[in-house]
Structures are given as structure tokens and as C-alpha cells.
């Protein structure tokens, strides 16, 4: 009995609060509230994007399908250089070119590969990747180039020495003459003899 006037006053205050809330809902959303919620949502989207970007920094992906043959780091260790060996059915030759030669080639150029250990074997391929940064050894800059084989041959094994001829340009309907056949007359005009 003693608390009834207080309970009644609290109930009346709660009823008025609920009525005001109902009136606000019926009147529509306040533009400031909408903008505040939009900003809050954008902040949450940004936080999600940041988390996804951070997760991507801890993920390693191979640029091709294959099976991990060896892992060169331990859990909790620092990773640098080659951390795993991925084996694939697609054969790839990796060669080093100096800065003068690498400037002449581009991805997609055709190549012919020969192997020191396999006499008479010629395999065609094409340039699949060119390192963006070179390696300096004794003042010489070299770039690694990957050539994907057009056909597979089971005789070719990992680590075999290969020689590559990369075709950088093709000319058709061109006359080829030895340099010794080109002569110059007394007026400076050139001719082939």
C-alpha cells in the first residue's frame, strides 16, 4: 500500500515514454537519426574491409593449381623467400635474363626449349611471367622469366638444365642475304652481289 503511489507514478511515466516513442515512430524517422545510422553502418563496413585486408596479408596463394610438395618454414617462424614448393602437372621452365635481353621480351612471346640431358628434344612454349624486380649479382642485374610448355613430356624432370630461344619478333616475306654479299658502289649506294 505504501509503494502504490510511487508505482503508479512510475507506471504513468513509463506510459508517457512509450506514447512518445509511438508518436515518434508514427511521425517517421528523423533525418539526423538516419544519417547517424548510415555513418555507423559505413564504419562497420570499413572495419570489415580492414579485417579482410589484414586477413589477406596472412594468406598465401599460388598463381596456379598444384600440390604442396614441401614447406620450408615452421609454424611461428619468419617467412621470406620461397616458403613452399608447389608441384603441378604443367611444366614450367625458369630462366634468368640480363636487363638488356629482358627489355626485349613480353608475356605471350613464343619460345623453343632444348635440354642438355635430352638430345633431340625440342619443346615449344610461351613466356608466362617476368619478374618485376631483378636480382643483382656481382654488379649484373638478372630477371627470372617463366616459360610454360605447350606440350608435356615425361622425360623432362624438375631441375633439368634448359636452353631457351625466345622469339621477340617475326617478319614475313623478307629476303635474307649474308652480310658479305652486301656491297657499296663509289656513290655510296648499297647493292647485293
Amino acid at each position: 500500500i505504501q509503494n502504490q503511489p510511487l508505482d503508479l507514478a512510475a507506471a504513468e511515466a513509463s506510459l508517457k515514454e512509450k506514447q512518445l516513442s509511438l508518436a515518434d515512430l508514427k511521425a517517421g524517422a528523423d533525418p539526423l537519426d538516419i544519417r547517424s545510422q548510415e555513418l555507423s553502418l559505413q564504419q562497420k563496413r570499413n572495419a570489415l574491409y580492414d579485417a579482410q585486408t589484414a586477413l589477406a596479408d596472412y594468406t598465401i596463394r599460388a598463381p596456379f593449381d598444384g600440390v604442396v610438395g614441401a614447406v620450408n618454414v615452421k609454424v611461428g617462424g619468419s617467412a621470406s623467400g620461397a616458403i613452399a614448393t608447389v608441384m603441378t602437372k604443367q611444366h614450367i621452365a625458369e630462366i634468368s635474363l640480363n636487363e638488356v635481353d629482358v627489355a626485349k621480351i613480353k608475356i605471350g612471346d613464343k619460345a623453343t626449349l632444348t635440354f642438355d640431358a635430352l638430345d633431340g628434344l625440342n619443346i615449344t612454349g610461351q613466356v608466362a611471367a617476368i619478374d618485376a624486380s631483378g636480382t643483382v649479382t656481382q654488379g649484373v642485374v638478372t630477371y627470372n622469366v617463366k616459360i610454360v610448355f605447350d606440350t608435356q613430356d615425361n622425360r623432362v624432370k624438375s631441375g633439368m638444365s634448359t636452353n631457351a630461344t625466345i622469339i621477340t619478333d617475326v617478319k614475313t616475306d623478307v629476303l635474307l642475304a649474308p652480310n658479305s654479299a652486301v656491297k657499296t658502289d663509289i656513290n655510296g649506294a648499297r647493292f647485293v652481289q
Side-chain angles (χ1 to χ4, degrees):
I1 298 175
Q2 224 175 4
N3 289 338
Q4 281 182 351
L6 295 175
D7 289 342
L8 182 59
E12 287 174 351
S14 177
L15 177 62
K16 284 185 181 182
E17 184 181 322
K18 299 290 182 192
Q19 286 173 335
L20 288 172
S21 261
L22 179 61
D24 283 347
L25 283 174
K26 286 182 178 178
D30 182 19
L32 289 174
D33 288 341
I34 292 172
R35 184 67 184 139
S36 173
Q37 291 302 316
E38 287 173 344
L39 289 172
S40 176
L41 180 60
Q42 188 59 44
Q43 286 174 338
K44 301 228 184 302
R45 283 185 184 138
N46 291 344
L48 175 62
Y49 176 76
D50 291 344
Q52 289 171 334
T53 302
L55 178 62
D57 289 342
Y58 294 98
T59 304
I60 300 170
R61 288 185 174 80
F64 51 84
D65 292 338
V67 176
V68 175
V71 177
N72 304 326
V73 294
K74 295 184 191 248
V75 174
S78 179
S80 65
I83 62 165
T85 301
V86 179
M87 298 182 310
T88 178
K89 291 180 182 178
Q90 179 71 46
H91 287 154
I92 297 173
E94 187 170 319
I95 62 170
S96 293
L97 293 179
N98 65 38
E99 58 190 319
V100 173
D101 291 337
V102 81
K104 297 175 187 174
I105 67 167
K106 62 186 177 302
I107 292 176
D109 282 349
K110 294 293 185 186
T112 303
L113 302 166
T114 59
F115 302 87
D116 295 346
L118 303 169
D119 287 337
L121 178 62
N122 292 320
I123 294 181
T124 60
Q126 66 179 18
V127 175
I130 304 168
D131 280 356
S133 60
T135 304
V136 179
T137 307
Q138 296 179 349
V140 177
V141 181
T142 58
Y143 295 83
N144 289 330
V145 175
K146 291 183 175 80
I147 300 172
V148 176
F149 294 16
D150 287 338
T151 58
Q152 304 304 309
D153 190 310
N154 290 333
R155 296 176 291 171
V156 177
K157 305 295 182 209
S158 178
M160 283 187 163
S161 297
T162 184
N163 299 304
T165 302
I166 301 173
I167 302 165
T168 58
D169 195 11
V170 175
K171 304 274 186 193
T172 57
D173 299 326
V174 176
L175 178 63
L176 179 65
N179 195 28
S180 60
V182 178
K183 306 292 181 190
T184 306
D185 67 13
I186 56 173
N187 295 328
R190 294 182 177 227
F191 63 94
V192 176
Q193 180 177 19

